[in-house]
């Protein structure tokens, strides 16, 4: 597997997190995390279970409010009180829990919160179900997925089908930053590589992507830089071309003490 | 890229969707069979006059059950509908008695009922009180205010224009049936064809997912209960117009009828799913049963027993359909092995 260099990364900072803190009762889920996401890069976030990865991206997507620190988008401080604040700022997220409503059908899930409408009698806004169904069909065709029915509730679909539906929600708008929390976890080989292709293609089109994955093979295949977290702290951020899988595994399991001498420069 | 997989055969997406789905077919058949059966037992039942009578009487329940469908699809419940109805109609009558013209008193009644509904929604959304407990509280509290307000009085004597809404006919069709039909049509559109309808089901099906999708969950919550208040005012208006009177005990035990109608119709008590057509059928079915029992001379108290049993049976049937009962779904799957 070969990785491609970022075609468009300019090194300019899109999103900056400064000293982010988050407590759940006595548990410190985030401890002074400072991390910059550069325009046009794929930044992978890795770490053990419970390291704080999902918590970190939730502060970026407006799902949780940090207890301390600040977030800057394009150099301007932002404060996301609701998920809508984040999407309004151009940040789209697929959460680890996918965020699907089991009782709704596929187009309803894909368009949830941004339904297409048309006016009946030029007065009453009504759902444009035909248009949403058509768009859903187009979107899903970008994935190697088979989905015999669109208008059944999604609870009966497989994990991979559900994941694909959640990811396709991202393609409805043109965000600045895409966040994906383990988007390939439930996908088969074919479907997983389709999603990887898509992520790279979106990056090449100029999007910035933050992706969480436990699969280091995937991470090294697509990421420009790799950020490692442990126990709520950011350990290091390394360019993936400058390191090895063993080195990253060392950082994930041992934290700062597991960093090789040649990677010391990347320590946070 | 190496991870790029080679050109794949296009996979099927949405190919086996059914164009037309016959929802509520089973319940429709049950209704038809029951009508035929009751008529066979007692020919008086099947007359057009009696059926129109049943529909007129059920119009209030149909309308309130429409609101309840939204509430239950949002994974809520509203036990306070009967008390809201009593309070708002008593206040309306009080205003009329005090000499207020009805074109002013009537909108005030609707506003009051909607405010009571919104109050339910607000304490549920912002104080995180479970809907069952919140509306149990307001059920008692609203009834208390109605009793205080009317001091045990029996109100009667509405302006003719209002009485017409309950007793008049247009082209031979009783006005309450027309009003109920229009409201059912509106509810169907709102539930199935609008953004609001989808958001109600989304909040009911997965509150957190709805929130993450940018939906203002609290707003949906308050709006749903406000709509419930509107339905109560409309249903209450038809009722007091039909009997030309009200009192603070009107609508007692109404919630069980309305919730029963909604559940019999197939709306899931667990939220996320609902059917307007089903609720309509459920409400008609219940009223027909009542009417048949009355014609058969069954005592009123037995009707309460019957309704209680029907509610439990309807929820059980829904649970079986949704495979929520472990031991039954195991039996079903043993009978029908995987193909
Ligand atoms: N809502 C919550 N309430 C209490 N504790 C929480 C909550 N969410 C997360 N935590 C805790 O915060 C820590 C970080 O959790 P987080 O979900 O961010 O980990 P993660 O790195 O995404 O793990 P995984 O790889 O398993 O998804 C964990 O110890 C977790 O138990
Ligand atoms: Mg996680």
């Amino acid at each position: 597997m070969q990785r491609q260099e970022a075609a468009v990364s300019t090194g300019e900072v899109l999103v900056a997190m400064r000293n982010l803190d988050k407590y759940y009762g006595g548990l410190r889920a985030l401890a002074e995390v400072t991390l910059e996401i550069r325009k046009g890069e794929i930044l992978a976030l890795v770490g053990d279970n419970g390291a704080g990865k999902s918590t970190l991206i939730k502060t970026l997507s407006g799902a949780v409010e940090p207890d301390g620190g600040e977030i800057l988008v394009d150099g301007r401080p932002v404060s996301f009180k609701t998920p809508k604040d984040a999407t309004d700022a151009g940040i789209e997220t697929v959460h680890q829990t996918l965020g699907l409503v089991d009782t709704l059908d596929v187009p309803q899930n894909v368009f949830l919160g941004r339904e297409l409408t048309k006016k009946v009698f030029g007065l009453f806004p009504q759902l444009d179900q035909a248009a949403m169904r058509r768009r859903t069909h187009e979107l899903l065709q970008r994935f190697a997925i088979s989905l015999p029915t669109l208008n059944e509730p999604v609870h009966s679909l497989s994990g991979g089908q559900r994941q694909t539906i959640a990811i396709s929600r991202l393609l409805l708008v043109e965000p600045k930053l895409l966040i994906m929390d383990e988007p390939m976890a439930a996908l088969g080989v074919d479907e997983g590589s389709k999603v990887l292709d898509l992520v790279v293609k979106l990056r090449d089109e100029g999007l910035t992507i933050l992706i969480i994955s436990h699969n280091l093979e995937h991470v090294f295949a697509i990421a420009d830089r790799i950020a490692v977290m442990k126990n709520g702290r950011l350990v290091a951020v390394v360019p993936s071309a400058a390191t090895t899988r063993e080195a990253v595994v060392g950082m994930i399991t041992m934290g700062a003490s597991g960093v090789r001498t040649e990677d010391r420069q990347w320590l946070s | 890229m190496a991870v790029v997989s080679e050109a794949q055969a296009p996979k099927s997406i949405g190919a086996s969707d059914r164009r037309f789905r016959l929802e509520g077919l089973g319940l429709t058949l049950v209704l038809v069979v029951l009508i035929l059966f009751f008529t066979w037992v007692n020919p008086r039942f099947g007359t057009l006059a009696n059926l129109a009578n049943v529909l007129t009487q059920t119009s209030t329940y149909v309308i309130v059950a429409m609101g309840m469908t939204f509430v239950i699809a949002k994974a809520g419940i509203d036990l306070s509908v009967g008390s809201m109805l009593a309070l708002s109609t008593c206040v309306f009558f009080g205003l009329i008695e005090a000499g207020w013209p009805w074109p002013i008193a009537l909108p005030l009644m609707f506003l009051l009922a909607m405010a009571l509904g919104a109050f339910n929604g607000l304490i549920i959304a912002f104080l995180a009180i479970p809907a069952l407990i919140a509306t149990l509280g307001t059920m008692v509290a609203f009834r208390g205010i109605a009793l205080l307000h009317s001091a045990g009085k029996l109100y009667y004597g509405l302006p003719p224009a209002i009485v017409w809404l309950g007793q008049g006919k247009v082209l031979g069709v009783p006005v309450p049936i027309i009003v109920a039909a229009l409201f059912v049509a509106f509810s169907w559109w709102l539930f199935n064809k609008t953004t609001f309808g989808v958001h109600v089901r989304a909040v009911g099906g997965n509150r957190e997912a709805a929130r993450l999708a940018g939906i203002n969950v609290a707003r949906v919550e308050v709006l749903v209960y406000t709509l419930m208040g509107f339905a109560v005012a409309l249903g209450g208006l038809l009722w007091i117009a039909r009997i030309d009177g009200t009192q603070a005990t009107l609508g007692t035990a109404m919630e069980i009828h309305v919730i029963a109608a909604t559940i019999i119709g197939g709306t899931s008590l667990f939220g996320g799913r609902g059917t307007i057509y089903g609720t309509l059928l459920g409400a008609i079915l219940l009223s027909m049963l009542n009417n048949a029992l009355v014609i058969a001379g069954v005592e009123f108290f037995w009707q309460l027993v019957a309704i209680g049993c029907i509610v439990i049976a309807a929820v059980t049937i829904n649970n079986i359909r949704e495979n929520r009962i472990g031991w039954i779904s195991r039996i079903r799957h043993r009978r029908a092995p995987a193909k």
Side-chain angles (χ1 to χ4, degrees), chain A residues 183-213:
Chain A
M184 277 89 68
L187 295 181
V189 179
D190 251 21
E191 292 84 353
S193 58
K194 259 276 197 297
V195 171
L196 286 184
D197 289 352
L198 180 79
V199 171
V200 170
K201 187 162 166 294
L202 292 173
R203 191 268 318 269
D204 293 343
E205 287 170 9
L207 281 182
T208 307
I209 291 147
L210 174 60
I211 186 166
I212 297 178
S213 177

Side-chain angles (χ1 to χ4, degrees), chain A residues 202-248:
Chain A
L202 292 173
R203 191 268 318 269
D204 293 343
E205 287 170 9
L207 281 182
T208 307
I209 291 147
L210 174 60
I211 186 166
I212 297 178
S213 177
H214 284 291
N215 185 328
L216 290 184
E217 192 180 332
H218 287 167
V219 168
F220 274 90
I222 62 169
D224 299 301
R225 294 191 304 151
I226 302 172
V228 185
M229 283 186 79
K230 181 163 180 65
N231 295 337
R233 291 184 184 278
L234 192 70
V235 178
V237 190
V238 292
S240 47
T243 190
T244 66
R245 213 186 295 182
E246 293 67 36
V248 171

Side-chain angles (χ1 to χ4, degrees), chain B residues 35 127 199 230 324:
Chain B
I35 292 177
L127 299 183
H199 288 185
F230 179 87
R324 283 183 198 275

